[in-house]
């Protein structure tokens, strides 16, 4: 679900969820709400968001905070969402039967959600 990498100069930590079954446009609406906020405020925003993708974004944020605490020894209270973005994943193509023997294509889009957290003074 999540991967972790660190930059030795800036102590920023990232987490990524790949192949999330939501269109990138819908996920970007939620991710834009938490970019630049401190972690506590971001959790509050995601918890009370009506969008269903907020659950997936919250999972990625929790993973990034856990990576920062366990792997880098950072304090969760000092972390800020430095960057948050959604990339387009592969699209699943399905066929829907239509009238007179024709068919329509259904595109089931996927997303890669990435969140980068860093200590407050460096973000």
């Amino acid at each position: 679900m999540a991967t972790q990498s660190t930059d030795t100069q800036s102590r920023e930590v990232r987490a990524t969820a790949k192949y999330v079954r939501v269109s990138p446009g819908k996920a970007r609406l939620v991710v834009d709400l938490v970019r630049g906020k401190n972690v506590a405020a971001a959790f509050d925003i995601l918890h009370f968001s009506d969008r269903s993708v907020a659950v997936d974004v919250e999972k990625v944020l929790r993973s990034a905070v856990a990576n920062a605490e366990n792997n880098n020894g950072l304090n969760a209270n000092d972390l800020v969402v430095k960057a948050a973005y959604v990339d387009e994943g592969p699209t699943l193509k399905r066929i829907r039967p239509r009238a007179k023997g024709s068919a329509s294509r259904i595109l089931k889009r996927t997303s890669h959600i990435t969140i980068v957290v860093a200590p407050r003074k460096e973000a």
Side-chain angles (χ1 to χ4, degrees):
M1 150 103 187
T3 60
Q4 167 260 319
S5 68
T6 54
D7 187 7
T8 57
Q9 296 149 349
S10 67
R11 294 178 54 120
E12 65 184 26
V13 182
R14 76 178 62 235
T16 304
K18 293 189 161 195
Y19 309 107
V20 178
R21 269 290 293 122
V22 66
S23 69
K26 291 177 183 178
R28 285 185 187 115
L29 291 173
V30 175
V31 167
D32 290 343
L33 296 174
V34 299
R35 189 179 299 116
K37 304 276 193 299
N38 65 5
V39 170
F43 280 131
D44 288 340
I45 291 169
L46 293 173
H47 182 72
F48 291 107
S49 175
D50 289 336
R51 302 269 180 176
S52 63
V53 71
V55 174
D56 296 320
V57 174
E58 187 175 354
K59 277 186 182 180
V60 179
L61 182 57
R62 285 194 192 283
S63 178
V65 171
N67 289 339
E69 286 180 331
N70 296 325
N71 300 341
N72 293 22
L74 299 174
N75 187 1
N77 297 329
D78 297 335
L79 294 177
V80 175
V81 179
K82 183 175 181 181
Y85 52 91
V86 177
D87 295 325
E88 191 170 331
T91 301
L92 304 173
K93 294 166 180 81
R94 301 293 182 258
I95 300 297
R96 174 97 178 146
R98 302 303 295 219
K100 299 183 180 178
S102 65
S104 292
R105 179 168 275 187
I106 296 175
L107 301 177
K108 299 190 174 208
R109 302 189 185 277
T110 61
S111 303
H112 302 318
I113 302 171
T114 303
I115 294 182
V116 180
V117 295
R120 182 173 287 124
K121 58 189 172 292
E122 297 176 8

